[in-house]
Amino acid sequence: MTTTYTSYQMIAGNLTKSLERVSEQPDVARETEYYLANIGNVKTIDDFFADTRLYNYAIKAHGLEDMGYAKAFMRKVLTEGVDTDDSFAKQLTDSRYSDLVESLNFARNGTAATSFDKAQKGVADKYARQTLEQTAGEDNAGVRLALYFERTAPSITSAFGLLADDALAQVTRTLLQMPDEFAAADIDKQAAAIDKAIDIKDFKDPAKLSKLLERFTALWEINNSSDTYDPLAVFGSSSGYGISSDLLLSINTLKLGGR
């Protein structure tokens, strides 16, 4: 039987090859070919929303597939950009929205937004990585969590950053062998406990991060030996992680339909 650690190492040990295999899958290759052939023709936000395939590809690439229906919400994110502290994306604790804007920054670059490499190959690379993690999670949620943590944790600068992300928080609780009920504790107490046990700066050291993930995958294997728990709940139904309360509140204030 392949363990969580072994499965994770098979993917992460040669990530370039793993991503190549994903990119060569017929459905991924087909959608990527369409995206790269057409995204350069998009000159406005209206153009972007008018092409459902391009829209779905880009939001999946950024782990936002579960938010695809909320087009008014997504339009507001892209329209306001990220260049001011009071922009909509900057007000959200979820950094995926700011990442989407950085990839397709119509607010800053206007009609040239899709001409940059980050809007073309950059998005395609994100799509392949997102698909890789989702596929891994179909067999073992712990592997998906480990891959996600490996990709995301180096950008985290505080314990509060871990706690703001359900998937990162799940990995952290597993590493520290804290019960899920700990998530209901006072947020400052949670952060203090994490700071006491983990040096966040270690996430930027590949060797130290690898050791942490070795520990995580071993503990995950022990703690999730039965099928009674659905760990993928922290990722939502298909990608990214669950929709937070601040997003739901914002969505309720907007009209759906993309305008």
Side-chain angles (χ1 to χ4, degrees):
M1 182 179 67
T2 305
T3 67
T4 302
Y5 176 71
T6 303
S7 297
Y8 165 70
Q9 284 297 320
M10 287 174 62
I11 297 173
N14 192 342
L15 190 58
T16 299
K17 190 66 177 179
S18 297
L19 288 169
E20 285 179 358
R21 286 196 294 269
V22 168
S23 298
E24 291 168 358
Q25 293 174 5
D27 55 337
V28 175
R30 181 173 59 251
E31 292 307 308
T32 297
E33 181 180 9
Y34 181 86
Y35 180 84
L36 293 175
N38 292 280
I39 190 61
N41 298 325
V42 171
K43 302 302 181 184
T44 66
I45 292 176
D46 285 341
D47 291 344
F48 177 62
F49 278 88
D51 191 318
T52 301
R53 285 180 74 180
L54 293 180
Y55 172 74
N56 288 340
Y57 187 96
I59 63 172
K60 178 178 177 178
H62 291 83
L64 293 166
E65 192 173 5
D66 289 336
M67 291 296 293
Y69 72 93
K71 291 189 174 181
F73 182 94
M74 301 301 289
R75 180 181 289 273
K76 185 173 177 63
V77 166
L78 287 169
T79 300
E80 296 191 12
V82 290
D83 291 339
T84 60
D85 290 337
D86 62 351
S87 64
F88 189 45
K90 284 290 189 70
Q91 298 302 307
L92 301 170
T93 57
D94 190 334
S95 63
R96 292 176 297 169
Y97 297 95
S98 291
D99 291 343
L100 174 64
V101 173
E102 290 292 355
S103 294
L104 298 167
N105 203 326
F106 293 99
R108 182 189 303 158
N109 300 314
T111 58
T114 63
S115 65
F116 296 97
D117 185 68
K118 62 185 178 182
Q120 298 187 19
K121 185 178 183 298
V123 173
D125 289 344
K126 289 177 184 293
Y127 187 91
R129 178 62 188 249
Q130 191 69 224
T131 303
L132 173 67
E133 293 177 12
Q134 288 181 22
T135 302
E138 292 173 1
D139 295 324
N140 189 319
V143 176
R144 181 178 182 180
L145 283 165
L147 289 168
Y148 179 78
F149 195 90
E150 178 191 45
R151 171 169 61 89
T152 310
S155 66
I156 298 298
T157 58
S158 72
F160 291 104
L162 293 173
L163 294 170
D165 182 318
D166 288 343
L168 296 181
Q170 176 71 72
V171 174
T172 303
R173 287 195 298 272
T174 301
L175 282 168
L176 302 184
Q177 300 187 67
M178 293 175 171
D180 288 335
E181 290 76 14
F182 183 70
D186 178 81
I187 190 71
D188 291 325
K189 291 182 178 179
Q190 292 184 58
I194 292 171
D195 284 332
K196 185 177 180 179
I198 296 177
D199 186 346
I200 303 295
K201 295 192 294 293
D202 287 350
F203 297 161
K204 298 185 183 299
D205 184 323
K208 292 180 178 179
L209 181 58
S210 178
K211 284 292 185 183
L212 282 173
L213 289 173
E214 181 177 350
R215 172 178 169 79
F216 164 74
T217 51
L219 289 170
W220 182 268
E221 189 76 19
I222 295 170
N223 297 337
N224 296 279
S225 57
S226 71
D227 296 328
T228 58
Y229 168 61
D230 180 15
L232 278 180
V234 296
F235 288 103
S237 62
S238 58
S239 67
Y241 29 77
I243 301 174
S244 63
S245 57
D246 63 340
L247 297 194
L248 291 174
L249 181 62
S250 298
I251 291 170
N252 286 337
T253 67
L254 297 171
K255 294 181 179 179
L256 298 181
R259 294 190 181 277

